[in-house]
Amino acid sequence: MEPLWFMVFSNLEGIAWCGLCMVIFRYKPLEYFWPILTVVTIMNLQSFLLRNELELSYMVPAINVIFFVLLFATVLRVPLFGAISMTVVGLISFVLIQTVIAILIFGSVASAQASTVSGYQLQAITALIVGAISWLLYYYGYGFSYDFENARFRYERTTVIFIMVIFMVIATIVLYLNDLWINIPLFGAGLLFFLRYANKKERDY
């Protein structure tokens, strides 16, 4: 049951984080629910496998950030600079909110992470509160409406695809060296998902 509960609560947390990233910059998460759910699920599956290998757990935060940047750049068609900005600002905001919740309810972040149950509780509570905050922000029109199109550079789509391929190659090499074959298809699925959107013609948007 552990993998199931891990996926349930991690998906709740991941969707809440993604939603916060989007509403801060005035994007509507519900319009992209299924792509978000797909990316978050793939992201958390590889996260679960990597966390079982203590030597590779350090890779999880960086991989999650890259997944979100690629999600915003390919699915939402946000320029690369904007995708990075959305991910970083959303991550900082999410971490601050979760830290406050951990301190207020559990006394400290360490206490919230002391057991699996308290960790799941923190994820669920954070997801609910962040979800409520995101809804309020969008409903009342708060957030940044910066036009990232001004920051789009020439050959950006090619650059994004190049980043995806390099990311996949590096991840595959690391997983191969650590004999984690089961994780390689997950990265492959993620790459194909992003490539599908990256190669869509502009008229489809």
Side-chain angles (χ1 to χ4, degrees):
M1 289 296 290
E2 174 63 21
L4 175 62
W5 291 122
F6 177 90
M7 290 301 301
V8 169
F9 291 105
S10 294
N11 271 19
L12 286 174
E13 185 179 49
I15 291 171
W17 172 20
C18 188
L20 184 63
C21 291
M22 293 175 66
V23 299
I24 288 176
F25 290 91
R26 304 297 298 144
Y27 288 91
K28 193 173 182 180
L30 289 179
E31 292 183 357
Y32 305 93
F33 177 76
W34 292 113
I36 290 172
L37 178 61
T38 300
V39 171
V40 169
T41 300
I42 294 174
M43 187 177 76
N44 287 324
L45 280 171
Q46 60 80 26
S47 175
F48 177 79
L49 294 172
L50 289 178
R51 288 182 188 280
N52 286 337
E53 295 290 326
L54 297 180
E55 297 83 1
L56 297 178
S57 60
Y58 67 90
M59 293 176 57
V60 173
I63 291 173
N64 291 351
V65 167
I66 293 173
F67 264 67
F68 272 23
V69 170
L70 293 176
L71 170 66
F72 299 145
T74 59
V75 178
L76 275 67
R77 308 293 284 184
V78 178
L80 191 57
F81 171 76
I84 294 172
S85 299
M86 289 174 63
T87 303
V88 173
V89 172
L91 174 60
I92 293 173
S93 302
F94 187 88
V95 170
L96 286 175
I97 294 171
Q98 190 168 64
T99 300
V100 171
I101 293 172
I103 292 173
L104 291 177
I105 296 180
F106 299 95
S108 68
V109 175
S111 297
Q113 298 175 339
S115 70
T116 302
V117 173
S118 59
Y120 289 157
Q121 289 174 340
L122 177 61
Q123 287 179 303
I125 295 170
T126 302
L128 289 173
I129 292 177
V130 169
I133 291 173
S134 297
W135 183 85
L136 290 172
L137 286 174
Y138 194 86
Y139 182 81
Y140 288 104
Y142 293 109
F144 301 102
S145 55
Y146 180 76
D147 185 8
F148 288 120
E149 287 300 322
N150 296 326
R152 190 182 292 278
F153 56 87
R154 195 177 182 185
Y155 305 122
E156 181 163 302
R157 188 175 70 171
T158 302
T159 302
V160 171
I161 293 175
F162 177 75
I163 291 173
M164 283 190 282
V165 173
I166 293 299
F167 169 59
M168 180 60 189
V169 170
I170 294 174
T172 300
I173 292 173
V174 172
L175 295 173
Y176 172 77
L177 293 175
N178 286 273
D179 200 26
L180 284 176
W181 292 94
I182 193 172
N183 232 11
I184 294 178
L186 289 176
F187 280 97
L191 176 65
L192 291 175
F193 178 85
F194 291 130
L195 284 174
R196 173 178 176 272
Y197 280 94
N199 286 316
K200 272 180 172 284
K201 295 181 179 180
E202 294 293 336
R203 67 170 179 267
D204 293 336
Y205 293 85

